[in-house]
Amino acid sequence: MCLAVPARVESLDRAASTAVVNLDGISKEVSTLLLDDVAVGDYVLIHVGYALERIDPEEAEKTLTMFDELKGVEP
Amino acid sequence: MCLAVPARVESLDRAASTAVVNLDGISKEVSTLLLDDVAVGDYVLIHVGYALERIDPEEAEKTLTMFDELKGVEP
Amino acid sequence: MKYVDEFRDGDKARRLAELIRTEVNPEREYRLMEFCGGHTHAIFRFGIHDLMPENLKYVHGPGCPVCVLPAGRIEAAIELAEAEDIILCTYADLMRVPAGRGDSLNRARARGSDIRMIYSSTDALAIARANPERQVVFFAIGFETTTPPTAAAIQIAEKEGLSNFSVYCNHVLTPPAMRHLLSSGEAHIHGILGPSHVSTIIGSQAYAGCCNDYQVPLVIAGFEPLDVIQSTLMLVRQINEGRFEVENQYSRAVSQTGNRKAQALMQAIFEPRAMFEWRGLGGLPDSAVQIKAAFHAFDAEKRFGMQAIDVADIRGCICPAVLRGVSDPVDCKLFGSICTPEQPKGACMVSSEGACAAQYSYGRYRLGGKSEI
Amino acid sequence: MKYVDEFRDGDKARRLAELIRTEVNPEREYRLMEFCGGHTHAIFRFGIHDLMPENLKYVHGPGCPVCVLPAGRIEAAIELAEAEDIILCTYADLMRVPAGRGDSLNRARARGSDIRMIYSSTDALAIARANPERQVVFFAIGFETTTPPTAAAIQIAEKEGLSNFSVYCNHVLTPPAMRHLLSSGEAHIHGILGPSHVSTIIGSQAYAGCCNDYQVPLVIAGFEPLDVIQSTLMLVRQINEGRFEVENQYSRAVSQTGNRKAQALMQAIFEPRAMFEWRGLGGLPDSAVQIKAAFHAFDAEKRFGMQAIDVADIRGCICPAVLRGVSDPVDCKLFGSICTPEQPKGACMVSSEGACAAQYSYGRYRLGGKSEI
Amino acid sequence: MSRLDIERGVVEMAHGSGGRASAQLIESLFIRHLDNAWLRQGDDASLFDVGAGRMVMSTDAHVVSPLFFPGGDIGSLSVHGTINDVAMSGARPLYLSAGFVLEEGFPLAGLDRIVASMARASREADVPVIAGDTKVVERGKGDGVFITTTGIGVVPEGVHISGDRAEAGDMILISGHIGDHGTAILSSREGLEFATAIRSDSAALHELVAEMVNVAPEIHCLRDPTRGGLATTLNELVRQSGVGMQIEEGAIPVRAEVRGACELLGLDPLYIANEGKLICICPAGVAEKVLSVMQAHPLGRDAAIIGKVVEDERQLVTMKTVFGGLRVVDWLAGEQLPRIC
Amino acid sequence: MSRLDIERGVVEMAHGSGGRASAQLIESLFIRHLDNAWLRQGDDASLFDVGAGRMVMSTDAHVVSPLFFPGGDIGSLSVHGTINDVAMSGARPLYLSAGFVLEEGFPLAGLDRIVASMARASREADVPVIAGDTKVVERGKGDGVFITTTGIGVVPEGVHISGDRAEAGDMILISGHIGDHGTAILSSREGLEFATAIRSDSAALHELVAEMVNVAPEIHCLRDPTRGGLATTLNELVRQSGVGMQIEEGAIPVRAEVRGACELLGLDPLYIANEGKLICICPAGVAEKVLSVMQAHPLGRDAAIIGKVVEDERQLVTMKTVFGGLRVVDWLAGEQLPRIC
Ligand code: SF4
Ligand code: SF4
Ligand SMILES: [Mg+2]
Ligand SMILES: [Mg+2]
Ligand SMILES: [Mg+2]
Ligand SMILES: [Mg+2]
Ligand SMILES: [Mg+2]
Ligand SMILES: [Mg+2]
Ligand SMILES: [Mg+2]
Ligand SMILES: [Mg+2]
Ligand SMILES: [Mg+2]
Ligand SMILES: [Mg+2]
């Protein structure tokens, strides 16, 4: 449930509480009403035209690092 | 101006002040609000969906008779 | 078609025409104004003029409701339709009549206004009943023939309490226009083919004063070709005999006093309008009707505060002179080149009763020039 | 696609799966409920189940907003759209969901109701602004992820004084449903793949009590296939180790406390609903929200006096059992014959998150039978 | 196989999606009625063999309102209309294609009736519909059903029929009463309803044409006077050929009912549409022979010679009225609408 | 001669009346752009010579919204679409016809742009539009412009391409990236607007096809994956041929932007429409040769072998995911709509 995709914030219109986000060459205006302190360059999760939450790059990195335990495993 | 055609009254709906008139096989419902005492069989002049006036058969006959003075005239 | 076919007999027409040819005085001119567009249409559609002697000329009159409606009143209707969320109902005849700047109801409709063509005033009522949440305005035009049906609609709307129905009233009166034409004398008319269906309502006596005052004979003439030719003969005889009476060729439908019920209905709903602008004739006092104060709720001009709009004359269009019987359509430089029924510049090129349209669509064989699409 | 492609790496997926295969205890069963339809979809779309050991089974949960919406509430929306001159706005997902008697919003639209699909609650506001003379009703559905955008729309409408906008609120809450499932115990679940995007709003702590009370491990899992597989491994390990903690695999988007701003907005506009009917689960107390009294003007149920409608269950459809994790779609006799995504009988055959639709559209290669159109 | 509820169902957007719903609609409705090997084959294009020679192609979009009218419906009309346009080159029609634009919400029962009627017309004419396409538009963006048909045919050796071949001296023939189709449509149009026994003349004229070109391959022009009526079609031919025409009002067959309806609404039968009539222009020498063949065919029973082609650099169609007066018969200007004056 | 105010005018009912206004519209707009001897001739049907052989006929109704989109418009689309359907039989397209349904009030400037674009597409493809028809419907009963085009073509000797000829062992090729057209349309659809550099792939594929059948007349099937996308088109072929198919997700060319748009809206590129791509199914022995020819052509530069035909009495299309998992690739169900869950 709840389709949401991570997209990069390209620009912000703080007065209107909107941002233009980009997802692999697709730009779309979304509402930032649900998020304080969004910054250009942030990755945010987009759901029904709203930015739901920021993606934390360090946590993402950590998760990816956990895959390193796969080294040596033969599929 | 004022396109109007003579049509024969086929039936009457006195309550609704309408008549069904017939013009060479074309039947159409018209309003009789502008005419008192319309009778089935009368020919009436139809204009914008209203019966305007009865055609007087005797007067029509008289007019046609006037054409008789044409007898003998060579076109 | 009973009461139609008998009056379209070609053989009788030729005999009648022959009689006219023998009776006309070759030394003089006979300029007969067909007041009504209905006669204009019959003359061209059936080719009556070809049957007439050279010195008898039909002069077109102002009796075409769409032709005499000033562009400004169409413009006002378009403005209303564009400004308010209304349904504007009107007779199809009006759709192509030029308003200002090449505009028309047709084009306003194409641009998005809700403009609907109706066949009868009862259709406008039906639309109002079916759309209670919207205002329905009936753009009404016409002479005394078409006025009673409008009056009937207002009466019904009042009875039903149809609060979303109103009428943009543009009904005009025949006798004042006729008086105006005769008083100016510019058209040099020797006789008048009098209105047929208008007269069924107002009666033949309505013209008596006019004929007397201006010493012009008038024959109330039916719209079928034999009616027109017979009435022509009657006029020729009056002229030859120096009479200026009201005669009634169309006695099968027209009485002396007209349709009293329709007259009463008109009087119940309408009252004279102090001044009304006619295309061609200018402002004429007491030449039109307006909705009485008691029915103001049904008067679109009042309800929507409609304002008269001034639309500049079309450059080169001589409609005004054509409608006064002073000029012939072919005198117009735009006729058939810039102005055609497809892209009419003036109102007279729209209705098939308009003198220019009748001339162009039916009478062009008399003229030169290649026919273009 | 950053933060997407890294989590769809097929090679890593196979290695992770291998690890799971080595770590599972071949002597026991692992029944893991993917609570969310998003996980169901990922499992079938990417073919994750084929990578899993035989004794590890994904059990589908009720986490698909359109699947759990009772037919009666769709029926009520259709009745409203047909009775009043409204514009009904809704997410496209809802359009094909069966209401009673084979009806759907799609069919109501085809019959003439003005039903419009929107992408965002802001679109519903835009429609309301563009149609001030008509009532615009937003048929809102969804879990805690989709609720804040609805709250935002109501807040904006109030600020703007948008008096023709209202919301038919069908937002439901995740933890009560989860508790209900665990308390019944019928699904025999050993671990839960916890909601990803719901958790971005409500935070990971929201499940702590649940896990404790029912001694079931839960891993909040992202929706990408590697997320699902990694979370599966994490669950296997908890199960093997006898732990029942809330772990957060989706830490890149989910914090312990969630999105406080979104939570505050929800609390400003909504309040718990004493009782809400779920398809499959029945009436659950405090399992949904309703619009607070202060915003009743924006509550379509209040504004239009909408009544709950009882729609009989579809004969043979085992959606309720599927949504409770008790049955598998293929246990349904209608599956793939009478019931297909084209002509769904139950809600689970509509959304591509619905367990039946996912099974049919993506997983049918495991079954026999010729594919029909 | 049919999962369509033809009795109670309506057209839905999904029926135009190109997916399974589209396939169901095509199989259980279109192919069921129009059944032939080409449609069953289900390819993007349909294959057929031809011999070397001259072919023709013609297309017409059909948007009639109302969809069902006395004497036909949009289905039969769309078959007849295109067969006729192909036949007006003297050709033998071979195949038709049909493109449908359906409005969301249109009852499947109505569509079923239309396609059945189309299939009947196609069978009776022996011209199969071998290719088709269906699109669905949202409610309010269409008007029930639009059908665009395209036809191809082969022209017999020695036949050279075209609108630019009318010559001074040629005779002008009409295959029967004019105005029936337009009158039938008017009679059932909303807000204008009147009762009449008049039915649309909608019919496929290719067999009549085949007999005509058989006896008189030297026919110069054939054309079906559809939209715009006899008047407009004669003007088209006059313009193409650079000639003039003179017709006789009294010679033109018009039914009493059509005249009646025209008088009532202020219309002219010359401008009323026909869908089963043709105008033939041929050298005077063969006119009587052609007329006999026409009159011997059920669809030309009331055929008549109505005038002749003349030299006229003004390119006018003129008509001798029953009075002996003369008038121009012009192109239709604007739309053909009822008038009050 | 033109009395049309193309710059500021709009379509009026009279333009569809069949009278003088119709003639003006056709002469000053349609014929001006699509100019050729057939249209200038002005007959009901257009004549051409053919040699003996096998011909094909195909038709498509075009109702795209919006009418203008990145990379094309309904005019070019209506030419490409039908040329492609003709070409998918291996045929060389010869001629097109076009039937227009115009909505009252549509700007003539927009119509002019559409017809100009159509003319350009037709010229570039060297397939003339030789017959046409135009109807006008009242405002609110259409959607600007609908265009139904029909095409005919000739099939070269030795070519036998049909959707029912796929055989187990055949290879499945796609001529390039999928989903461009549908993504471009979505990006400009009201209420869904997003910015992207993606343009419709709308293109005429007949020259590519000519080269393919030239090197490999033994090609079994060709089809353009339009509405319903690659997924639905493969299912159609599976059904026609009574086989199964296995494709490789990783082998299917999809642009990043198309994937992005699909992720954002919850769609699947496999179901997104294409208007300049083809699926080719051929014996494995010629697959590489066909692929080379495709890749050497500008419209097949990114062609790829994406899978193979297998025996499968269940008639399923299955796909190996990039994971190594397997999934069914089903027909499109309902419409392709953005989803939230
Ligand atoms: S021809 Fe046209 S422009 Fe000239 S007077 Fe008549 S209506 Fe006016
Ligand atoms: S297959 Fe259909 S009928 Fe059966 S449980 Fe699923 S949705 Fe219900
Ligand atoms: Mg044609
Ligand atoms: Mg035709
Ligand atoms: Mg024709
Ligand atoms: Mg097609
Ligand atoms: Mg409609
Ligand atoms: Mg096709
Ligand atoms: Mg196609
Ligand atoms: Mg195709
Ligand atoms: Mg045509
Ligand atoms: Mg529209």
Side-chain angles (χ1 to χ4, degrees), chain E residues 57-62 81-82 84-86 149 224 227, chain F residues 43-45 131-133 135:
Chain E
M57 180 176 201
S58 184
T59 196
D60 262 356
H62 298 270
T82 291
N84 290 348
D85 277 347
V86 167
T149 47
D224 52 341
R227 277 187 298 178
Chain F
D43 279 333
D44 274 355
D133 188 52
K135 294 289 175 354

Side-chain angles (χ1 to χ4, degrees), chain B:
Chain B
M1 76 218 202
C2 318
L3 190 92
V5 289
R8 186 178 181 279
V9 175
E10 298 286 323
S11 67
L12 286 160
D13 180 340
R14 290 192 197 273
S17 294
T18 58
V20 172
V21 299
N22 190 291
L23 178 66
D24 271 17
I26 301 293
S27 302
K28 173 114 190 111
E29 191 183 278
V30 300
S31 168
T32 54
L33 268 178
L34 304 181
L35 270 187
D36 282 330
D37 311 322
V38 191
V40 169
D42 281 357
Y43 276 79
V44 289
L45 277 172
I46 307 301
H47 174 64
V48 299
Y50 286 78
L52 278 193
E53 187 51 276
R54 255 176 306 273
I55 302 278
D56 184 327
E58 283 169 32
E59 286 294 332
E61 198 47 48
K62 246 192 262 175
T63 305
L64 288 168
T65 312
M66 283 168 69
F67 298 145
D68 288 345
E69 63 174 297
L70 301 174
K71 280 178 191 145
V73 179
E74 278 307 309

Side-chain angles (χ1 to χ4, degrees), chain B residues 2-6 44-46 52-56 59-60 63 66, chain C residues 3-4 7 39 194-200 204 219-224 227-228 230-231 234 247-255:
Chain B
C2 318
L3 190 92
V5 289
V44 289
L45 277 172
I46 307 301
L52 278 193
E53 187 51 276
R54 255 176 306 273
I55 302 278
D56 184 327
E59 286 294 332
T63 305
M66 283 168 69
Chain C
Y3 300 124
V4 172
F7 298 90
H39 291 130
S196 55
H197 295 137
V198 160
S199 304
T200 62
S204 61
V219 176
I220 292 167
F223 281 152
E224 296 307 327
D227 291 325
V228 174
Q230 190 179 37
S231 301
M234 289 163 78
E247 288 181 325
N248 183 6
Q249 184 274 339
Y250 196 40
S251 57
R252 65 186 184 275
V254 173
S255 64

